[in-house]
Amino acid sequence: MLDNKKILLVISGGIAAYKTLELIRLLKKDNADVTCILTRAGEEFVTPLSVASLSGNKVYTDLFSLTDETEMGHINLSRQNDLIIVAPASADIMAKMTHGMANDLASTTLLASNKSIMVAPAMNPEMWDNPATQNNVKMLRERGIVFCGPEKGDMACGETGEGRMSEAQTIHQAVHDFFFERPLKGKKVLITSGPTYEPLDPVRFIGNRSSGKQGHAIAKSLLKAGAHVTMISGPTNMPDISGVDIQRIETAHEMLDTTLDALPADIVICAAAVSDWALTSPSAQKMKKKSDDDTPEIKLKQNPDILKTISQMTDNRPALVIGFAAETNDLEENAAAKRARKNCDWLLANQVGKDENGTQRGFGTDENEIYFVTQQEQTRWNNMSKDSVAQRLTDHIIRHFNNK
Ligand code: C5P
């Protein structure tokens, strides 16, 4: 039963909109509280009256309705619900979501949302296959948007292919899975991710090649397993993930302070490539060459070790502290020694730098080869995508808490 679950259903334009009436009926029968937004195009396919009658709630249709904006508004609509479903999700609304457009109530609410979003796409197969849509789908998936369908079959337009909206029963099941297939529900996770930038002066910094892809993949995977995820990220090009609280910082000191402020947590995963050093005194102005042979000396001091600081906490130490180690050589020996030195529970070491063919490994790539080290076991995970590493780590975490 979906007792007390508050669902915001966004109905966009498309012939499949008729199926959402059945979806509302199924969700209501399951005791969910369903509120609907009907886009202008959606209104061409189902009427506000039928949606209001089935949901038992007022239907929101217009961003510029002053009463709605004072009574509830696009911010409250997203805040007061546990899950937002977009069904049917037309190519148009997915494009708006991807690019952050906010020119009607539905797109504004989706942009303002801090909740998980599920989409059930519905469109002509050519529209679905179009690279423009596929690029949008990729971006939305990266942001943690949950996809239900589309499916293959006959379309209302007479064509056949991928693009049919999933049946109401399938979406209803996906909503159940979202709420209940959540083995890490109630667990609070902090993830550090990306590089840190240590300033030399206001324009230059010491950084590294970390892309933040692995931390990002772990955040998505743990979110899907039901954890409450906060990610403390250095500068990266990775998009925000809806449902993940992302705190963006630059230096190691900021990363440490933000992480400590976010404690207590059940699990801390330090996937960031933190600079070991920062300048003792960065210049307040841009450093200038004073002569042709001027080579300034820079003095470094050690940065705090975030992983070690948390692993060595005596009060309220998180139940599971996990580190990463990027190694260029002697992976196995270095990994085991590093886990013991840092006092973390698990360490995932990976080879970085160029291989014998000159190909970059680890940093910035989509794959990782992990050497997994705990106090009891050491296992090599064969080369796999960063998403698969994240999934495997999530499975380990779930098993760890189940066995407790
Ligand atoms: O750089 P190093 O190999 O020591 O990093 C191993 C682990 O320690 C990683 O999980 C990294 O996020 C963490 N670390 C940290 N703070 C530092 C250096 C490393 O949290 N200053």
Side-chain angles (χ1 to χ4, degrees):
M1 295 292 270
L2 294 170
D3 287 3
N4 304 322
K5 298 288 181 235
K6 286 177 165 286
I7 295 171
L8 179 66
L9 177 61
V10 178
I11 307 172
S12 77
I15 184 66
Y18 78 90
K19 293 185 189 173
T20 55
L21 297 179
E22 174 65 1
L23 176 62
I24 298 170
R25 201 187 62 77
L26 289 172
L27 293 171
K28 288 288 294 176
K29 209 170 134 217
D30 223 0
N31 282 349
D33 183 2
V34 185
T35 304
C36 297
I37 294 179
L38 194 52
T39 67
R40 284 241 161 83
E43 277 188 74
E44 302 291 330
F45 295 90
V46 289
T47 67
L49 184 61
S50 46
V51 173
S53 309
L54 281 167
S55 68
N57 277 323
K58 177 179 171 157
V59 179
Y60 293 85
T61 52
D62 189 355
L63 173 60
F64 301 105
S65 155
L66 279 178
T67 10
D68 292 351
E69 278 298 293
T70 42
E71 269 174 17
M72 196 175 230
H74 55 280
I75 304 288
N76 288 345
L77 269 173
S78 92
R79 299 292 180 275
Q80 292 179 356
N81 286 285
D82 303 306
L83 171 69
I84 303 180
I85 307 174
V86 187
S90 61
D92 177 66
I93 202 159
M94 293 204 309
K96 281 182 177 169
M97 287 168 72
T98 308
H99 299 288
M101 287 174 70
N103 56 0
D104 60 10
L105 178 61
S107 53
T108 310
T109 306
L110 288 161
L111 189 63
S113 159
N114 61 351
K115 294 291 161 53
S116 292
I117 301 173
M118 179 185 292
V119 292
M123 68 197 73
N124 167 277
E126 295 292 343
M127 289 171 79
W128 173 254
D129 287 338
N130 191 298
T133 305
Q134 286 305 310
N135 282 340
N136 293 342
V137 170
K138 186 166 175 274
M139 283 278 278
L140 293 174
R141 281 194 203 279
E142 274 187 4
R143 287 187 210 149
I145 305 290
V146 182
F147 273 72
C148 177
E151 291 171 22
K152 284 193 177 142
D154 294 337
M155 307 291 297
C157 59
E159 295 183 13
T160 306
E162 194 170 6
R164 257 178 84 88
M165 185 169 100
S166 298
E167 295 303 323
Q169 290 78 359
T170 311
I171 302 174
H172 179 221
Q173 183 58 49
V175 173
H176 257 265
D177 291 351
F178 171 83
F179 283 115
F180 302 114
E181 291 296 305
R182 318 198 91 205
L184 294 178
K185 190 162 182 256
K187 294 275 179 276
K188 189 176 161 195
V189 189
L190 304 184
I191 303 171
T192 70
S193 181
T196 61
Y197 283 3
E198 309 298 337
L200 281 129
D201 66 20
V203 288
R204 304 181 181 93
F205 58 83
I206 301 174
N208 60 67
R209 295 179 195 277
S210 169
S211 61
K213 281 184 182 170
Q214 187 61 79
H216 194 269
I218 294 168
K220 266 196 307 179
S221 172
L222 291 172
L223 178 74
K224 198 160 157 251
H228 179 284
V229 184
T230 300
M231 183 151 77
I232 298 114
S233 174
T236 72
N237 289 324
M238 301 306 290
D240 287 358
I241 303 169
S242 69
V244 170
D245 173 17
I246 300 198
Q247 316 249 358
R248 295 204 180 260
I249 52 81
E250 291 214 339
T251 65
H253 271 280
E254 288 165 2
M255 186 172 268
L256 176 70
D257 292 347
T258 312
T259 310
L260 293 180
D261 280 351
L263 288 172
D266 301 289
I267 306 159
V268 172
I269 303 174
C270 291
V274 185
S275 169
D276 286 324
W277 300 282
L279 253 71
T280 347
S281 40
S283 167
Q285 272 94 39
K286 185 180 170 195
M287 290 160 67
K288 295 250 168 28
K289 255 191 305 190
K290 294 192 186 79
S291 63
D292 280 350
D293 58 357
D294 180 27
T295 317
E297 300 233 323
I298 52 173
K299 217 166 161 240
L300 300 172
K301 62 176 181 202
Q302 252 189 42
N303 267 331
D305 190 317
I306 301 158
L307 176 65
K308 200 167 172 183
T309 308
I310 294 171
S311 296
Q312 291 181 341
M313 282 171 59
T314 43
D315 290 336
N316 279 335
R317 181 192 189 272
L320 196 55
V321 184
I322 304 170
F324 272 76
E327 301 288 344
T328 52
N329 56 290
D330 302 322
L331 185 75
E332 298 177 11
E333 303 86 274
N334 285 343
K338 192 168 280 184
R339 192 210 63 78
R341 198 167 62 244
K342 301 233 183 190
N343 198 30
C344 60
D345 301 298
W346 301 350
L347 189 100
L348 284 78
N350 63 325
Q351 195 88 39
V352 293
K354 296 199 169 147
D355 67 12
E356 54 283 0
N357 303 318
T359 312
Q360 188 69 245
R361 288 183 293 188
F363 279 154
T365 67
D366 288 326
E367 299 198 330
N368 243 347
E369 193 174 335
I370 296 290
Y371 188 64
F372 180 75
V373 184
T374 72
Q375 206 169 10
Q376 294 79 26
E377 68 164 294
Q378 303 195 0
T379 328
R380 190 171 277 281
W381 298 357
N382 284 334
N383 198 35
M384 58 175 90
S385 70
K386 288 184 176 171
D387 282 340
S388 304
V389 169
Q391 188 54 56
R392 190 151 174 185
L393 178 62
T394 303
D395 293 343
H396 265 274
I397 293 172
I398 293 168
R399 260 190 311 225
H400 174 81
F401 282 102
N402 280 349
N403 291 341
K404 283 215 149 195

